[in-house]
Amino acid sequence: LEAKDVDLLMKGYLLVYLLPGLRPKLTSKRLMERVVRKASDAYFGWTDLLLWVEDLRATIHYEEQHGESPFSQSPETPMNFHSMAHLAGRISEQFGRYQDTECKVMKSALLDLEDDSKNDGRVPLRKFYSSHLEQGGTSNFAESRDYLRHLGALDETDPLRPSVIVPNYLYAPGNCVATSNFISVCCINQCVSLMDTLQAEIAETTAAPENILAIVSSLHSDTVAAPRELPSQLVTRLQEVAGRHQGVVPLHSRLFAQWMHHAFPNECPYPHPAGGLSGDMLMSIEEWNLHRNSTQAHRASEDEMLEIIAQTKDDARNLTSSIDAVEDMDEVLLPWLHQEEMLFDVFRQADGSLEHRNTPSQWALFLDLRAILRPIAMVAAIAAALFSMKGQGQAMLAARSYEESQSLPSWSRQPSTGRPPLCVMPIPHSEIDCS
């Protein structure tokens, strides 16, 4: 491939990766060039993204130098389909980490809005909207109350103090990019690394509460220092969970996930019961708007924001004075629902061993296979469109292989990808004309 074609092909791949709704539009080299020229309008970090991809290409070239002929005079190995597919695979593997930088900035902004000294993983809704209005309506934090409630990111335990749950908001579909029927690149769930450490130490699906307390008290996050002495209320809660399960705590249960939310309120999401406020199928921004026949249904209007700010400001002031006298702040600020649910069932056999049924571990291999096949199929489809003058058959074959790679069971997909994606980026990205 010539250098200019390699450049166009890779930019086309990046755009399709970020905006899957563009793929049916890139039917020729001319259309691809026109869309690429508008890329900076579609994705605010486009220039930085291209620099990252160039760094990644240089890294791959350095890693593969040992395979080149020592007599080669070329400073670079020419890019062919195999090398392009390899680069696309590396982008797919590492893009989540790159994109997570923006998620960390968003989390920092949310933490700045939390009430002083509480560190409860909650941002009062009035502060959430005030932040948006103070920045002239150009920032995040504009989702409507209904959409926040649907996402399970709205805590209405106390009607006088509705608040946004920080981790539930961060990990919601509205903050995902590269969303398609096949994959979504979302904010990295920081609770996963905490659970990984915990499970590596325990090496069982259940554990005695004292073992969990010893490990969790030594775990730290970017908002929780360690080692620490866990609050007495948190210790009591864990013992109550163990009391419901014959003296041990199931690590893959709703109640333990809720306990982890109390222990790390800014990192671990609050686990709503199945069919609860958020339901079982979370909608992306595009799906929510499509469902309500409006391109702005996910956003609260300025009048709605001002009304909520005015209603809750005085109530919040009164509430603050009333809870100052309460010693157990954990009980007041964080909801605890006693409803239990299990991720999978555990059965104790006659010999004392545990049998796990309906375990999701079988999904891992299948999901890894999808991650490998997706970038190769996408590069094939875009390359065929780029060189469509060689025949429409190549484009049809590549497109068909890409569609077949997406023919997956519904349970293996992200819950926010039930419909074909629209050509629109979620906040803070802007829209692009797909016509």
Side-chain angles (χ1 to χ4, degrees), residues 178-326:
T179 300
S180 70
N181 285 4
F182 204 83
I183 194 172
S184 291
V185 178
C186 306
C187 293
I188 295 175
N189 190 330
Q190 295 177 322
C191 195
V192 172
S193 62
L194 296 170
M195 284 295 297
D196 285 346
T197 302
L198 180 66
Q199 292 178 108
E201 291 283 342
I202 294 175
E204 293 285 350
T205 58
T206 61
E210 55 269 21
N211 293 341
I212 294 175
L213 292 171
I215 297 171
V216 170
S217 63
S218 66
L219 294 179
H220 72 276
S221 69
D222 54 4
T223 63
V224 174
R228 59 172 170 155
E229 182 177 351
L230 297 174
S232 59
Q233 179 68 25
L234 206 55
V235 175
T236 301
R237 290 292 191 198
L238 190 63
Q239 292 170 342
E240 290 174 354
V241 174
R244 298 181 55 154
H245 297 280
Q246 300 178 332
V248 295
V249 178
L251 301 186
H252 304 104
S253 64
R254 186 198 161 273
L255 283 181
F256 183 67
Q258 185 173 231
W259 188 86
M260 285 293 289
H261 173 65
H262 280 235
F264 299 93
N266 292 308
E267 287 74 37
C268 294
Y270 176 78
H272 292 280
L277 289 177
S278 61
D280 294 329
M281 297 293 291
L282 298 185
M283 296 185 190
S284 66
I285 289 175
E286 295 86 348
E287 292 169 329
W288 181 266
N289 291 342
L290 182 65
H291 185 68
R292 281 156 178 74
N293 298 317
S294 171
T295 59
Q296 297 296 315
H298 69 287
R299 295 172 66 92
S301 67
E302 182 174 342
D303 289 341
E304 291 171 333
M305 294 183 188
L306 291 173
E307 181 181 358
I308 289 174
I309 293 171
Q311 286 178 348
T312 59
K313 193 170 185 178
D314 292 336
D315 290 337
R317 187 181 298 113
N318 296 333
L319 179 63
T320 300
S321 62
S322 66
I323 63 176
D324 282 342
V326 181

Side-chain angles (χ1 to χ4, degrees), residues 41-42 295-296 423-425 429-433:
D41 296 329
T295 59
Q296 297 296 315
C423 190
V424 59
M425 291 296 294
H429 309 291
S430 62
E431 298 183 9
I432 183 173
D433 182 7

Side-chain angles (χ1 to χ4, degrees), residues 22-40:
L22 279 177
R23 189 177 64 83
K25 305 292 181 179
L26 301 182
T27 56
S28 69
K29 183 176 181 179
R30 180 181 60 83
L31 288 174
M32 190 180 299
E33 289 173 336
R34 188 170 69 179
V35 171
V36 166
R37 285 195 296 267
K38 299 180 179 180
S40 59

Side-chain angles (χ1 to χ4, degrees), residues 36-147:
V36 166
R37 285 195 296 267
K38 299 180 179 180
S40 59
D41 296 329
Y43 188 77
F44 292 161
W46 180 248
T47 301
D48 291 337
L49 178 61
L50 293 181
L51 290 175
W52 174 73
V53 171
E54 284 303 313
D55 287 344
L56 188 58
R57 284 180 60 181
T59 300
I60 294 174
H61 175 65
Y62 177 80
E63 294 171 349
E64 296 177 345
Q65 275 184 335
H66 67 277
E68 298 179 6
S69 169
F71 304 103
S72 173
Q73 300 298 315
S74 173
E76 291 188 6
T77 301
M79 296 292 286
N80 52 33
F81 180 80
H82 173 75
S83 57
M84 290 294 293
H86 179 54
L87 175 59
R90 291 286 289 272
I91 290 173
S92 180
E93 292 171 2
Q94 301 182 27
F95 182 77
R97 292 286 176 184
Y98 169 80
Q99 180 66 19
D100 195 54
T101 302
E102 185 174 295
C103 296
K104 292 178 179 177
V105 172
M106 185 185 300
K107 179 180 179 181
S108 178
L110 287 169
L111 295 180
D112 289 341
L113 297 175
E114 283 190 6
D115 285 341
D116 296 339
S117 75
K118 292 181 180 177
N119 192 33
D120 60 351
R122 303 294 192 276
V123 173
L125 190 58
R126 60 183 177 83
K127 286 190 175 183
F128 185 79
Y129 286 150
S130 293
S131 174
H132 176 79
L133 296 177
E134 288 170 1
Q135 298 183 49
T138 59
S139 68
N140 292 339
F141 314 151
E143 286 83 355
S144 69
R145 194 166 184 165
D146 286 344
Y147 187 50

